[in-house]
Amino acid sequence: MKRFFVLACFVFVSDAFFAQNLVTVDEGDGKTEDIALPEGMVVSEEELMDDYVNKENLKPGTSVNIRDLSYDDSVIVSRLSRIPTTIEMPLNNVTRKFIDTYSGKMKRSVAVMLGSSNFYMPIFEEALEHYGLPLELKYLPVIESALRPAATSRVGAAGLWQFMINTGKKYGLEVNTLVDERRDPVKASYAAAHYLSDLYAMFNDWGLAIAAYNCGEGNVQRAILRSGKTDNADYWSIYGMLPKETRGYVPAFIAANYIMNYYCEHGIAPYETSLPQESDTVVVNNEVRFSQIASVCNVTIDELRAINPQYRRDIVPVGYALRLPSSAIESYINNEIAIASVTPSDGTIRRTVTQDVAETNKSKNRSRSSKRSRSTSSAQGGTQITIKKGDTLSDIAKRYGTTVSKLKTLNGMSNNNIRAGKKLRVK
């Protein structure tokens, strides 16, 4: 049975709403409480537009219907119940106000995120599917980062999934001078799915697991103890014991699921994004700068930054994966040596750090290759590997110096799904 946490209505000071990053809850009897908004709900519309919107094709006033389309609670409840998920999504005064925020004041921000979601949601879904998690968790980055991989929070969390450095490293994300894999859309998504899987195993309740993703498992465990609900705790039963931001976190997640499914009913249409419709990755054999790639491959530095946000100084070290629009892949492969020899736009060429990173990466690749897969010659004269648990097509492509598209073509695959124990041709 769904539990409804009874609160009186929110009190908004509309002009200061986003500036303060708080919402005030009237608890009755003259008492109020401030709840902090998740990071992804306080990103300005202008900042989102600058990151993603293809402004050359934008027709102001036509992409988002500015009419206020509001619905009775019974309609919202019915819509939430039709979202196919095992995660409880109740409507109450808290979740309703977050829904009203997304469908009202944040309409244009939602339109921007809808445009960029075409690029990111398949990545999220693949990672969640790999760990057998509810696909509705793909909307967590909406409230974490507003789908901005370059986002950094006030406390130092980074990327679409807002990993702190220690947690990121615990789940295999590398952070060094040149690379911050917390901002890598693919690797961070798999790390987040792994972390969420661990949290659910710990709490056996998705509301608590999602809350713990925001404030840490220790804070949730302490809230459970203070509530006295040690045997049957759920998010709403310990709501009052949680940190302020976490009190808004699960309601915001429910609201994000609602608006990303029912945006049309609120007069919202996606903006056209500047992200490529199709992209693929190649492993670089020579250190390369974005300016060198842009000079040959008919792609801009800004486009490279948008789809390779993990490279902190616009430098891709040897052995790392570079994502390119699909239209630029062939050009890069055919001109890789020439691209590396182009003088960078700043006139400098790095040497010593490159060699260090290259040697480290080669050592890692040898270790990973020996531990995770065995190569055998196929009857056709190619090379097969045995897929290991945790392998992805992207990881395998990087390991064998090829692309995801080539692996799929070589194996007659129509999607990116692979299974441990199966054979995969890599050459």
Side-chain angles (χ1 to χ4, degrees), residues 186-344:
V186 175
K187 291 188 176 181
S189 295
Y190 276 86
H194 189 176
Y195 185 24
L196 286 163
S197 178
D198 288 348
L199 290 172
Y200 184 73
M202 182 180 299
F203 293 105
N204 198 36
D205 177 87
W206 275 117
L208 295 178
I210 293 168
Y213 188 89
N214 175 250
C215 67
E217 49 267 40
N219 280 324
V220 172
Q221 288 167 336
R222 285 188 288 273
I224 292 172
L225 289 174
R226 287 195 296 269
S227 73
K229 303 282 186 178
T230 53
D231 294 330
N232 59 349
D234 63 16
Y235 175 81
W236 297 104
S237 68
I238 67 166
Y239 177 90
M241 306 297 173
L242 291 167
K244 288 181 180 179
E245 182 172 342
T246 309
R247 295 177 201 176
Y249 192 75
V250 171
F253 168 73
I254 295 169
N257 268 270
Y258 172 85
I259 202 63
M260 298 299 276
N261 279 281
Y262 295 106
Y263 57 89
C264 287
E265 285 78 359
H266 291 272
I268 304 174
Y271 280 140
E272 183 177 338
T273 181
S274 56
L275 293 165
Q277 291 187 349
E278 295 183 2
S279 65
D280 206 340
T281 60
V282 292
V283 176
V284 304
N285 297 309
N286 301 282
E287 178 188 276
V288 65
R289 292 174 179 246
F290 288 173
S291 62
Q292 294 171 299
I293 301 166
S295 68
V296 176
C297 294
N298 193 30
V299 60
T300 69
I301 292 175
D302 284 342
E303 288 172 328
L304 291 170
R305 287 171 178 160
I307 59 179
N308 296 277
Q310 66 269 35
Y311 298 118
R312 308 172 82 168
R313 303 181 186 275
D314 292 354
I315 299 170
V316 186
V318 174
Y320 283 76
L322 168 69
R323 184 168 293 276
L324 291 167
S326 294
S327 58
I329 289 286
E330 185 175 355
S331 176
Y332 180 86
I333 293 174
N334 291 339
N335 298 283
E336 184 172 8
I337 296 176
I339 290 169
S341 66
V342 172
T343 301

Side-chain angles (χ1 to χ4, degrees), residues 67-236:
R67 288 183 301 143
D68 181 20
L69 300 176
S70 185
Y71 299 92
D72 291 340
D73 283 356
S74 60
V75 175
I76 306 297
V77 169
S78 176
R79 289 174 181 169
L80 286 170
S81 69
R82 293 199 296 272
I83 297 175
T85 183
T86 56
I87 300 174
E88 185 179 18
M89 295 190 183
L91 182 71
N92 51 44
N93 289 337
V94 188
T95 54
R96 176 68 203 231
K97 284 301 178 179
F98 276 94
I99 289 172
D100 291 345
T101 300
Y102 272 128
S103 61
K105 185 180 287 289
M106 291 186 66
K107 265 190 173 184
R108 283 187 171 82
S109 294
V110 170
V112 177
M113 289 189 284
L114 284 166
S116 61
S117 69
N118 291 330
F119 183 83
Y120 291 118
M121 291 302 165
I123 296 173
F124 302 160
E125 289 174 347
E126 185 176 310
L128 294 167
E129 184 70 25
H130 179 79
Y131 283 92
L133 305 184
L135 296 187
E136 285 63 46
L137 293 167
K138 66 187 177 184
Y139 297 123
L140 273 178
V142 170
I143 62 172
E144 282 284 353
S145 60
L147 297 184
R148 297 164 60 242
T152 301
S153 77
R154 62 185 181 276
V155 296
L160 288 157
W161 296 88
Q162 291 289 280
F163 273 101
M164 297 295 288
I165 286 182
N166 288 341
T167 308
K169 288 185 175 181
K170 177 181 177 182
Y171 286 92
L173 300 179
E174 184 177 0
V175 180
N176 59 42
T177 302
L178 298 182
V179 182
D180 186 347
E181 290 183 341
R182 295 177 299 165
R183 293 182 167 87
D184 184 317
V186 175
K187 291 188 176 181
S189 295
Y190 276 86
H194 189 176
Y195 185 24
L196 286 163
S197 178
D198 288 348
L199 290 172
Y200 184 73
M202 182 180 299
F203 293 105
N204 198 36
D205 177 87
W206 275 117
L208 295 178
I210 293 168
Y213 188 89
N214 175 250
C215 67
E217 49 267 40
N219 280 324
V220 172
Q221 288 167 336
R222 285 188 288 273
I224 292 172
L225 289 174
R226 287 195 296 269
S227 73
K229 303 282 186 178
T230 53
D231 294 330
N232 59 349
D234 63 16
Y235 175 81
W236 297 104

